[in-house]
Amino acid sequence: MASDFVSVIQPGGAKREDRPGDRTLPVLPVRDTVLFPHAVLPLTVGRESSIQLINSLGEEKSIVVVAQRDARIDAPQPSDLYSYGALATIHKVVKMPNQSLFVFTEGTERVKLGNFSQTEPFMTATVEGVPEIIPAKGPALEALQRNVLTQFQQIVTSSATLSDELQTIAMNIDEPGRLVDFIASSLPFLTTADKQELLETVDVTARLERINKHLAKEIEVQQLRNKIQSEVQDQVQQSQRDYYLREQMKAIQKELGEQDEGQKDIEDLRQKIEAAGMPEETKKEALKELSRLQRMSPMAADYSLTRNYIEWLAVLPWAKSSGGAVDIAKAREVLDTDHYDLKKVKDRILDYLAVRRLKPDMKGPILCFVGPPGVGKTSLGRSIAKALDREFRRISLGGMHDEAELRGHRRTYIGALPGQIIQNLRRAGTNDPVFMLDEIDKLGRDFRGDPSSALLEILDPEQNNTFRDNYLDQPFDLSKVLFICTANQLDPIPAPLLDRMEIIDLTGYTEEEKTHIAYRYLIPRQIKENGITEENIDFPREAVSYIVRHYTREAGVRRLEQLIGTVCRKQARRIAEGKTEKLLITKEVIQEFLGGIKVRVDTEIAERTKRAGVAVGLAWTPAGGDVLFIEANKMKGKGGFTVTGQIGEVMQESMQAALTWVRSNARKVGLDEDFTSNVDIHIHVPAGAIPKDGPSAGVTMATALVSLMTDRPVHPLTAMTGEITLSGNVLPVGGIKEKFLAAKRAGVTTVILPADNRQNVEEDLMPEQVEGVSIHYASRIEDVLRIALPQSLAEEQHDEVVREEVLQHADA
């Protein structure tokens, strides 16, 4: 050994001589701790083996303190310990209440462990002193030593946990090796492995360099930590400062009786956004806009625009539904109370309600009521909403040209607003109202867009759950809305839009149904609206039937209600003039109040079919069905053929087809084959100012031609419809129910229909509607002629008698 004896300055200042190394001593393993020479270290001894070790010491208070490689091992073996440790002297042992010992130790020198002589009950091993390699003094060593000292002082100064006395102690240590040991034992941030590495480094210069690196790294970490701490503290201080200032401002305003309206608005909007139940993405966007609004000056140009946008988002019924269980019996009662007949429509609505009861989250269907004006399409939508206990909103699409009316304008436009769909949802206050889209067949299109194309998304149950209004630019779920469209005819509606809707036909009413509706709904309503009572006026059933028959020619009941209202107003005027007696409505009173009769339905057909060459056809119009007269006449000529009456191309072609069939089958119908050679034929369709088109008058034209050329008038009170082919077949046509009801309104008793339309009659017409009318089905034109024209002199005489009876009855 280079040195057998080491002179050490004890804390108390006394001097002693250590005995030579290389002897057997008890070994005390410690966790997460490294004891350096000249360092005083208090240790808590709790392991049974370690307690026995301390208790076994006599006068000899020297032990070896060695760090464990793994601190988690409770019963370490020699292989679990580092091979270098520190020889230590025990100055004091204190017994703790929990049976453990508190031991004050002081390191004296570095030692290396040799062979272990025992492991139970505690470990003992031979130890050998490790001499330091002390470098020669010089500027390089002094510079390194000073650098280490300066860095240590800097760390102590900036640390809140290290005592300032450590700087003083370090400054009074001249020996570089001892300085490194002191600094290493004082720094808490060094790991056990780092400290052990410093303990095992015997070259003092290398040890100085190692500690220098650790200190430099720690200073850098401290500076970074201080910077982060400073930034965080600044932010916290700023937010605290802002908070205190705001609170003070609120308190001052409260004392002065003033409220910061802007701040109050922001808070109100925030609460509305939180309570709106909007989807997470939309809520995020709304709060982002609110934060932007909070930073804006109320005088800024787009302050009100941003505020309006946030308000729209906040007030929409994102999650608010009408709810409530669907009561099928109540719904049926409401529909029956509000509307007469319409069985198919009511059944479809009740089917929908039944499914909704079983599956509350079903998507709303898109229904389209198609029918003539005045049959109750719009009021039916109102009744459906009442039956469902839902809000009802009506949007009129008639004449709408601008797509933005439905989808809204983008926020960049001045005065931008959401479209009618979102606006009505806001007014409804729920996300499942009944929406009535009125007059969908009267949508227009121009340079501002095509509203019918905008409806493709709105009226598609597969797409409208993410309807995006241009103004909101956020998806809104329309799948719970029950959309009901109305139209007078389907032709103008684009095919893709029509495909998305379930078509429900509402046809016209018969005279009996109109009379019933007048008694049940129209008369009570008009009496109430015109300020009179039931005691002031008496409407017999005959009077209502008289108005229906001779003053209206419509499929619905709107005109009928207007006329009843006129009668009620006349009586209201009489009461105001002092004539308070009850008024009985008779034919004379009706003629006095409403003028002479406007429609001679029951006599018109009988009167106009007196002469040969006149046949009665049936036509479909957007206002329902109507009767159509076809008149044919002949004069001397050279086979000319003239058609008049403002008729379309299809109808002109039907006339040509009818004439061709009659000429090619002249012998069959009792004519000469060249019957047209010396005559000109003229076919006219009266009401010449009204455009007419379509193929369904083909059989009527053929009948009129045969009637003219054979000089046989058509049976009175007979009407017909059907398309004719060149080979004489009768093809089916549409609008059978409307045409049939029009015939019945006109007093027709015999109707000839194409054979293929038999199913339409059976499905669409009820037995009470068919009652009183004889229906014949024809598959060829010969069948039509056999039914429509008299086949004998006796039949012609009978027809004359029937005509006279009808005309006399009308005059009476």
Side-chain angles (χ1 to χ4, degrees), residues 460-752:
D460 191 338
E462 297 301 320
Q463 296 178 32
N464 64 12
N465 59 335
T466 55
F467 170 68
R468 196 176 280 268
D469 186 273
N470 287 333
Y471 180 81
L472 296 182
D473 199 29
Q474 294 294 326
F476 194 96
D477 186 1
L478 295 180
S479 63
K480 293 182 180 177
V481 178
L482 173 55
F483 285 102
I484 300 175
C485 308
T486 72
N488 295 132
Q489 49 189 326
L490 297 177
D491 296 347
I493 303 174
L497 186 57
L498 201 59
D499 185 53
R500 284 162 166 75
M501 301 187 289
E502 184 176 339
I503 308 300
I504 298 178
D505 287 309
L506 277 78
T507 49
Y509 299 111
T510 62
E511 281 186 19
E512 292 77 13
E513 287 170 340
K514 285 185 181 179
T515 305
H516 187 95
I517 291 167
Y519 261 94
R520 189 165 169 183
Y521 305 103
L522 310 183
I523 293 173
R525 185 157 66 215
Q526 287 303 318
I527 287 175
K528 184 180 176 184
E529 286 185 5
N530 288 289
I532 58 177
T533 62
E534 292 181 4
E535 285 74 34
N536 302 132
I537 195 166
D538 182 13
F539 266 102
R541 186 170 287 272
E542 300 78 35
V544 177
S545 298
Y546 188 75
I547 295 174
V548 169
R549 178 173 286 253
H550 291 291
Y551 287 86
T552 65
R553 181 179 258 174
E554 57 170 353
V557 291
R558 188 170 286 141
R559 176 66 180 155
L560 175 60
E561 184 169 9
Q562 291 168 0
L563 295 171
I564 291 169
T566 302
V567 174
C568 292
R569 281 192 296 277
K570 297 286 186 185
Q571 172 61 0
R573 181 178 166 188
R574 291 178 78 252
I575 293 169
E577 290 173 349
K579 300 173 184 175
T580 54
E581 69 275 5
K582 187 171 187 177
L583 178 66
L584 175 66
I585 305 300
T586 61
K587 290 182 183 179
E588 293 73 28
V589 172
I590 291 170
Q591 288 187 8
E592 179 191 341
F593 287 173
L594 303 179
I597 61 175
K598 306 292 187 288
V599 181
R600 304 188 67 88
V601 284
D602 36 9
T603 59
E604 191 176 20
I605 294 178
E607 205 170 284
R608 292 175 69 170
T609 54
K610 271 184 181 180
R611 57 173 290 275
V614 180
V616 184
L618 297 173
W620 181 92
T621 69
D626 204 352
V627 292
L628 187 74
F629 290 93
I630 306 287
E631 296 185 350
N633 214 335
K634 62 183 179 179
M635 64 215 86
K636 277 197 172 184
K638 297 181 180 179
F641 184 62
T642 308
V643 294
T644 55
Q646 202 181 153
I647 53 181
E649 288 184 12
V650 175
M651 205 165 188
Q652 289 183 35
E653 289 165 3
S654 290
M655 289 180 175
Q656 292 285 355
L659 179 61
T660 301
W661 184 86
V662 174
R663 289 180 63 183
S664 63
N665 292 273
R667 285 197 179 280
K668 281 187 183 178
V669 296
L671 296 172
D672 295 333
E673 286 186 358
D674 59 347
F675 71 92
T676 58
S677 59
N678 57 355
V679 295
D680 287 346
I681 296 174
H682 183 169
I683 294 185
H684 176 67
V685 185
I690 301 170
K692 296 168 279 290
D693 202 2
S696 64
V699 295
T700 318
M701 293 163 187
T703 305
L705 284 171
V706 173
S707 168
L708 173 72
M709 302 313 294
T710 59
D711 198 24
R712 286 183 293 169
V714 175
H715 285 315
L717 309 181
T718 298
M720 61 199 76
T721 185
E723 183 179 353
I724 190 174
T725 67
L726 289 177
S727 57
N729 291 328
V730 178
L731 301 183
V733 291
I736 291 296
K737 184 174 182 182
E738 289 87 345
K739 290 176 179 177
F740 180 86
L741 294 178
K744 192 169 182 183
R745 281 198 299 273
V748 170
T749 57
T750 303
V751 175
I752 304 170

Side-chain angles (χ1 to χ4, degrees), residues 149-409:
L149 183 60
T150 305
Q151 287 180 330
F152 178 66
Q153 287 175 327
Q154 190 176 339
I155 289 170
V156 171
T157 304
S158 60
S159 172
T161 56
L162 296 176
S163 171
D164 290 342
E165 292 179 5
L166 294 174
Q167 294 185 57
T168 311
I169 298 170
M171 286 169 65
N172 292 323
I173 300 175
D174 295 327
E175 299 169 30
R178 189 168 171 184
L179 177 65
V180 176
D181 290 347
F182 174 73
I183 291 172
S185 64
S186 302
L187 294 176
F189 60 81
L190 290 177
T191 63
T192 304
D194 291 338
K195 288 183 177 181
Q196 185 67 32
E197 191 179 22
L198 288 166
L199 181 69
E200 294 178 5
T201 304
V202 293
D203 188 336
V204 173
T205 306
R207 207 185 312 159
L208 272 168
E209 287 171 351
R210 281 185 192 282
I211 198 69
N212 188 45
K213 282 182 185 175
H214 287 303
L215 291 171
K217 181 184 173 187
E218 177 61 18
I219 287 172
E220 189 178 344
V221 169
Q222 268 196 356
Q223 286 173 346
L224 189 58
R225 192 176 70 228
N226 289 340
K227 182 185 174 188
I228 294 168
Q229 183 70 18
S230 175
E231 286 176 357
V232 170
Q233 199 165 354
D234 286 347
Q235 288 175 1
V236 171
Q237 283 176 348
Q238 182 63 35
S239 63
Q240 287 282 2
R241 179 174 171 276
D242 291 350
Y243 173 75
Y244 284 130
L245 286 173
R246 280 199 197 95
E247 290 301 312
Q248 284 177 347
M249 193 161 65
K250 284 180 187 173
I252 291 167
Q253 286 171 342
K254 191 175 178 184
E255 287 298 322
L256 291 173
E258 298 173 0
Q259 275 289 334
D260 181 3
E261 289 299 327
Q263 194 62 32
K264 192 174 175 216
D265 274 0
I266 298 291
E267 284 308 311
D268 286 349
L269 285 171
R270 193 184 305 279
Q271 287 172 13
K272 283 181 184 176
I273 289 168
E274 293 293 341
M278 56 183 74
E280 202 56 43
E281 284 297 315
T282 308
K283 184 177 177 182
K284 195 172 169 186
E285 179 67 22
L287 290 173
K288 178 181 166 190
E289 289 290 329
L290 186 66
S291 174
R292 183 165 160 259
L293 182 73
Q294 198 168 3
R295 295 192 300 270
M296 287 167 66
S297 164
M299 305 303 291
D302 56 344
Y303 180 86
S304 62
L305 300 179
T306 306
R307 191 180 184 286
N308 285 344
Y309 174 70
I310 296 168
E311 271 195 343
W312 270 104
L313 284 178
V315 299
L316 284 177
W318 297 94
K320 187 179 177 187
S321 300
S322 301
V326 177
D327 188 342
I328 307 294
K330 179 194 167 192
R332 183 194 300 276
E333 185 183 332
V334 168
L335 292 172
D336 287 341
T337 304
D338 289 355
H339 289 84
Y340 177 71
D341 194 29
L342 304 177
K343 185 173 182 300
K344 271 191 177 181
V345 184
K346 291 177 182 175
D347 282 348
R348 176 63 188 90
I349 300 302
L350 293 172
D351 291 348
Y352 161 68
L353 298 182
V355 175
R356 186 165 187 85
R357 185 186 177 97
L358 300 176
K359 191 174 185 292
D361 60 339
M362 74 170 289
K363 292 175 179 174
I366 315 295
L367 305 178
C368 183
F369 296 156
V370 181
V375 295
K377 298 186 294 295
T378 305
S379 60
L380 190 61
R382 200 171 268 107
S383 297
I384 290 169
K386 186 176 166 188
L388 279 169
D389 269 339
R390 293 210 211 165
E391 287 290 323
F392 176 77
R393 283 289 170 270
R394 179 179 161 275
I395 301 172
S396 179
L397 301 179
M400 189 181 284
H401 288 78
D402 193 353
E403 179 195 342
E405 286 279 324
L406 293 170
R407 280 188 183 277
H409 295 86

